[in-house]
Amino acid sequence: MRAILELENVTGGYSVGRPVLHGVSFSMKPGEMVGLIGLNGAGKSTTLKHILGLLTAHEGTIRVGGVTLQDDPGVYRSSYAYVPESPLLYDELNVSEHLRLTAMAYGVGNEAFEERTKRLYKAFQMEDKQRAMPGHLSKGMRQKVMIMNAFLSEPPLYLIDEPFLGLDPLGIRSLLERMVEMKRAGAGILMSSHILSTLETYCDRYIVLHRGRVRAQGELRAIAESAGLPDGRLEEVFFRLVQEEGSS
Amino acid sequence: MSEKRFASNASIALIYRDRAQSYRRFVGQYLRYVFSSGFALLLGGLGMAGWYYYSGWIRAFPADFPLAWLALAALGPIWAFCPQRGYLQRADLVFLLPMEDRMPQYFRPMLIGGTVRQSIAVLVVWLLLYPLDRLYEAERGYDVNVLFFAAAAVVFLALKTTLYWGAFKERRIRSERVRRVFQLVRWGLAFVWGYTFVALAHSWWVLLVAGTAVLYMILLRLPARDFVHWERWVRLEQAAMSRTYTFLNAFVDLPRDEEKALPARSWLGFLGDGLPLRRERAYEYLYIKTLMRSDLLGLLFRQCLVFAALETLSTSLWLKVGLLAAGVVMTGAQLKALEREHVRVHWVHVYPLPEEWRMTAAVSVIRRAHAVCVLVLGLPLWWADAAPAAPLAAWVAGLGFVWLSSWRFAVRRR
C-alpha cells in the first residue's frame, strides 16, 4: 500500500544555521492513526509546519499522497486537512461561512456539503452557533470550528496538533469518534498530543521525537522493547525514552 | 500612607499617558506616508473649496433657508459623537483589574484631554454657524451680538461636557441593551438641542436644554453598572485600533496580527452566499465577506455620504463634478487596503488554492465595490439642473476610471 505521508531524512527549522529537526524520517499508510509525541520543544509542531509547507526543509524530502509540494502544490495541499494547536479563524467569517469557504477550497459538492455540515453541527453541538462570529466564541468552540472544517473536506490525511486543548468532554468524544470513522474509511491521521493515555487507546503507532530526532517509532510493543520496558504503558515508555536520552 | 497612595495614583495615570504617547508615536511614524500620498493635498483642496463655497454662500444667504435643520446636522453630531480611547488591553484583565479602585485616576487624562479636544471642535462648528445664525436672526428682527456668541458658546460647551460624561457613564452600564438605549438618547438629545437652538426662542431653548440635561444625568444613575466594564473597554480599544489600521493600510502596508471582534452585520449576510462551491471562487467569497464586515465598509459608506451631501449642497455643476472625482479617488484609495487583508494569514498557505487566485479575487471585489461607490457618488448629479447626458457621462467616466485603476493596481501588485 502506498504511503500517504513520507518524510525522508528531513532536517529543518526556522534558520539554516540552527536546525530544529535532524534527519527525521517516518511514513504513514492510509487507515493508520499515528501519535506524534515528545516534550515541549521536541519539534512536533515544527515537523507539522514542514509537512504543511509553512517551513521548507533544509535537507530531505516530504511527500503527501506521493507528491512533494514543489511537484504539485494543488494535489499536495488538497490531500490533507490541518487542525492547529491554537484555533486560527478568519475574524471576518462566521461559523457557517468558514465551513462554506473550506467546501469551496476543497471543491466539496453541494450535496456532500449539506449532508456533512448537518452531521458535524450535530456531532459537535454547534447547531445554534452557525451565525456566531469567532470573536464571540470560547476557545473550545473555536477549536470545534477548526475540527469541523478539517472533517468537512474528508481528505486522505489529517494533521492534528494538540486537538484536546479547551475542548469539553463531549467535544473530545465527538472528535475521537470522527477520527475513528475517518480512519476506518481509509484516512491517515497524524496526531500530536501530550494526553498519552488517549493516544495509547486510539493510535496504531507512535513516533517519539526528542530534541528534533526520532527517538523511537513503531507500535507500542516495539517502542516499549526499545525502551527496555516490554510490557510498559505508553506513558512509562515515553518517560524512559526521553529520560534515557536526557541523562546520556 | 497618603503619600504612598498619591504615588500609586500618579503611576496609574502615567500608564495611560505612556499608552497614549505610544499610540501617537505609532501613528506618527506612518503619517509621512499618508501626507506624501497626496491625501493632505486633497484634504487641503477640499477645505479651501469648502471655505470658498461657504463664504460665497454667506454673502448670498437665502432668507428662507431652513437653518434649524443645518444646526441639527452641524451641532447634533459634534455634541453626540464622544470618542473615548481607554487603551485597555486584554492583559489588563490580569494586571490592572486588581487596581480597579484606582481606575478613575487612569481615566482622568482621557476625560480631561477628550473634553478639551472635543470642546474645541464644538467651538469651531459654532464659529462657522454663528455668521449664518446672525443673518437668520437679523432677518427676523433680532440683534445677535458677540455677547450672545460667548453665552451660547458657554452653554454649548456645557452640553458637550454633559454628553461626554454621559458617554463615559454609558460605558459602565452592565446591560448591552440598556447601554444602546442610552446611546440613542444621547444622539436624540443632541439632535433635538441642535434643531431647537434655532427653532425655539432662546429663553425657552435654555430651559429645554437645562431640563433635559439634568433629566439625562439623573436617568444615567438608574441602570445597574460596573465600576469599570473591562470587557467593553477592551473591545472598544480593539475596534479603535482596527480603524487605525484600516486607515493607515490605505497608504502603507502594515502587518496586523491582533484578533478582532468584528460585527456580524447579518443584514448583509446574503452577500457572497450565492457563489457556487467552486475552488476558483473561494477567495472571492473570502474577500466579499471581509469587505462586508471590515471597518472599510463603514469608512466607504461615510465617505460616499459626505461627498454625496456636498454634491447635493453645491450649486455649480463643475463643483459637483469635482467633488464626484475627489470622492471616486478617495474611495478607490481606501479600497486598495482590502487587497492587503489575508496576505499574512496562515490559512491562505494551507488551503489548496494558488496564491495568484487570491490577488485576482481581491482586485475583482475591489473593482465591483469601487463601481458601486461611483454609482452612489454620481446619484446627486441626476437631480441637478443639468442635461441627463452630464450624470450619464460622469458615471461612464467614473466606471472607466475604476476599470483602469484596478487594472493598473493588479499589474503593479504582480
Side-chain angles (χ1 to χ4, degrees):
Chain A
M1 199 184 284
R2 199 176 73 173
I4 181 68
L5 171 66
E6 284 174 278
L7 275 81
E8 280 175 24
N9 209 23
V10 171
T11 295
Y14 299 88
S15 69
V16 179
R18 293 180 65 190
V20 178
L21 304 179
H22 305 272
V24 171
S25 296
F26 64 86
S27 67
M28 278 180 65
K29 292 189 185 73
E32 251 193 332
M33 198 186 296
V34 176
L36 184 63
I37 55 180
L39 300 173
N40 293 332
K44 302 183 298 294
S45 295
T46 310
T47 304
L48 288 174
K49 281 181 183 170
H50 275 88
I51 299 170
L52 292 168
L54 297 174
L55 290 175
T56 308
H58 310 155
E59 279 173 43
T61 316
I62 301 171
R63 286 193 184 82
V64 175
V67 298
T68 64
L69 182 62
Q70 291 71 32
D71 289 342
D72 192 336
V75 169
Y76 186 97
R77 290 226 150 101
S78 56
S79 299
Y80 62 74
Y82 169 53
V83 179
E85 182 182 357
S86 306
L88 293 166
L89 297 171
Y90 289 113
D91 298 314
E92 296 87 355
L93 304 187
N94 66 27
V95 174
S96 70
E97 288 163 355
H98 272 95
L99 291 169
R100 199 171 176 82
L101 179 67
T102 300
M104 284 175 147
Y106 285 85
V108 178
N110 270 317
E111 228 167 272
F113 173 69
E114 296 298 335
E115 184 267 319
R116 288 178 201 173
T117 46
K118 208 170 164 184
R119 200 153 41 89
L120 287 166
Y121 278 129
K122 196 172 175 210
F124 288 94
Q125 300 191 310
M126 292 286 283
E127 288 113 319
D128 58 338
K129 298 287 175 198
Q130 295 184 34
R131 302 280 159 212
M133 300 295 288
H136 299 114
L137 293 175
S138 67
K139 194 194 171 200
M141 283 181 185
R142 290 160 67 90
Q143 189 67 348
K144 282 183 180 177
V145 180
M146 300 302 310
I147 295 165
M148 287 161 69
N149 273 286
F151 285 118
L152 177 70
S153 49
E154 295 193 357
L157 175 66
Y158 291 85
L159 304 166
I160 304 180
D161 194 3
E162 286 292 356
F164 308 119
L165 292 176
L167 279 188
D168 57 42
L170 272 174
I172 293 174
R173 200 170 82 169
S174 299
L175 168 63
L176 290 167
E177 281 173 4
R178 209 91 355 228
M179 286 200 290
V180 170
E181 194 185 308
M182 290 300 123
K183 189 185 117 165
R184 283 190 189 134
I189 298 167
L190 179 65
M191 176 167 53
S192 150
S193 176
H194 292 300
I195 318 286
L196 300 183
S197 55
T198 308
L199 291 186
E200 187 176 348
T201 311
Y202 287 89
C203 290
D204 305 304
R205 288 198 301 123
Y206 308 91
I207 296 157
V208 181
L209 273 182
H210 191 58
R211 295 180 179 166
R213 290 185 165 83
V214 176
R215 178 72 184 80
Q217 63 174 310
E219 292 178 7
L220 179 58
R221 185 178 292 179
I223 61 166
E225 275 171 10
S226 75
L229 290 169
D231 297 317
R233 305 281 312 265
L234 180 62
E235 198 170 281
E236 295 160 346
V237 170
F238 173 71
F239 286 143
R240 174 68 68 86
L241 285 169
V242 296
Q243 275 168 359
E244 263 182 11
E245 180 78 14
S247 58
S248 63
Chain B
M1 177 68 191
S2 63
E3 241 180 56
K4 192 178 171 188
R5 184 78 179 166
F6 173 76
S8 307
N9 286 344
S11 63
I12 202 166
L14 271 179
I15 295 175
Y16 180 89
R17 289 202 180 94
D18 279 351
R19 288 178 176 183
Q21 204 175 23
S22 307
Y23 174 75
R24 284 194 293 271
R25 261 203 303 270
F26 165 74
V27 174
Q29 65 187 318
Y30 297 111
L31 280 183
R32 64 192 173 96
Y33 297 104
V34 175
F35 289 126
S36 62
S37 70
F39 180 73
L41 206 68
L42 183 69
L43 276 186
L46 280 175
M48 280 196 290
W51 181 252
Y52 172 79
Y53 179 72
Y54 172 76
S55 48
W57 189 49
I58 288 180
R59 278 194 292 274
F61 184 67
D64 57 344
F65 187 82
L67 190 68
W69 289 105
L70 184 68
L72 175 147
L75 290 168
I78 209 80
W79 274 328
F81 184 58
C82 299
Q84 293 171 352
R85 281 296 294 272
Y87 300 109
L88 286 185
Q89 302 155 17
R90 222 153 250 298
D92 293 335
L93 297 177
V94 177
F95 298 103
L96 287 189
L97 188 67
M99 295 186 267
E100 191 180 61
D101 62 326
R102 280 184 267 153
M103 285 308 279
Q105 267 66 41
Y106 177 89
F107 286 119
R108 183 172 287 172
M110 177 196 83
L111 291 171
I112 295 171
T115 309
V116 170
R117 279 190 299 274
Q118 291 177 42
S119 296
I120 293 169
V122 169
L123 284 178
V124 169
V125 170
W126 176 219
L127 264 172
L128 290 171
L129 197 66
Y130 174 66
L132 301 174
D133 188 52
R134 204 173 162 185
L135 289 169
Y136 182 84
E137 296 291 351
E139 281 289 331
R140 280 146 191 82
Y142 299 108
D143 182 30
V144 169
N145 53 25
V146 179
L147 197 67
F148 170 77
F149 173 84
V154 169
V155 180
F156 283 7
L157 296 186
L159 294 178
K160 176 74 223 184
T161 310
T162 305
L163 292 186
Y164 190 79
W165 274 90
F168 181 65
K169 281 181 182 291
E170 267 171 35
R171 283 161 168 78
R172 291 176 55 192
I173 295 174
R174 208 164 286 158
S175 153
E176 189 63 29
R177 193 172 290 174
V178 176
R179 195 185 65 81
R180 283 188 188 283
V181 170
F182 271 95
Q183 203 174 11
L184 210 66
V185 168
R186 174 159 51 91
W187 279 86
L189 277 177
F191 283 127
V192 169
W193 292 344
Y195 183 84
T196 51
F197 171 67
V198 176
L200 282 184
H202 293 139
S203 51
W204 285 111
W205 182 74
V206 170
L207 274 177
L208 174 83
V209 296
T212 47
V214 169
L215 187 65
Y216 171 67
M217 292 304 276
I218 292 169
L219 285 175
L220 267 172
R221 301 176 76 89
L222 299 180
R225 54 192 185 272
D226 296 312
F227 193 68
V228 176
H229 198 308
W230 293 87
E231 292 277 354
R232 183 169 297 136
W233 277 105
V234 170
R235 272 205 308 275
L236 287 170
E237 179 56 23
Q238 283 173 339
M241 273 315 282
S242 187
R243 282 194 297 274
T244 303
Y245 271 98
T246 303
F247 174 74
L248 292 175
N249 252 321
F251 306 97
V252 58
D253 196 1
L254 287 182
R256 186 174 180 171
D257 298 322
E258 93 282 19
E259 208 174 87
K260 297 169 278 175
L262 295 178
R265 290 186 183 145
S266 42
W267 53 282
L268 285 173
F270 65 93
L271 289 173
D273 282 354
L275 290 178
L277 293 180
R278 290 217 308 267
R279 293 182 63 218
E280 56 272 27
R281 308 299 289 273
Y283 279 127
E284 187 184 338
Y285 182 74
L286 177 61
Y287 276 104
I288 288 174
K289 295 291 175 187
T290 303
L291 176 63
M292 171 193 136
R293 302 229 164 81
S294 66
D295 303 318
L296 191 59
L297 189 76
L299 206 71
L300 289 172
F301 179 75
R302 286 192 291 274
Q303 271 182 3
C304 285
L305 205 71
V306 166
F307 277 98
L310 289 174
E311 286 173 45
T312 309
L313 284 171
S314 64
T315 46
S316 147
L317 182 65
W318 285 111
L319 187 60
K320 282 180 197 288
V321 171
L323 285 164
L324 167 68
V328 170
V329 172
M330 275 186 86
T331 49
Q334 293 291 340
L335 265 165
K336 279 172 190 159
L338 185 67
E339 190 273 326
R340 295 189 190 119
E341 296 282 345
H342 308 304
V343 174
R344 291 184 179 82
V345 179
H346 190 59
W347 278 112
V348 296
H349 303 293
V350 176
Y351 277 131
L353 300 167
E355 162 65 15
E356 56 269 25
W357 287 7
R358 188 193 66 77
M359 181 67 202
T360 312
V363 172
S364 159
V365 173
I366 289 171
R367 188 188 300 128
R368 278 178 276 164
H370 199 187
V372 172
C373 291
V374 167
L375 295 179
V376 172
L377 287 165
L379 277 178
L381 263 69
W382 285 93
W383 49 78
D385 292 334
L392 206 61
W395 264 354
V396 171
L399 293 174
F401 174 80
V402 167
W403 184 84
L404 201 67
S405 63
S406 69
W407 174 77
R408 273 190 63 212
F409 180 61
V411 168
R412 277 186 187 174
R413 297 298 282 180
R414 276 188 200 117

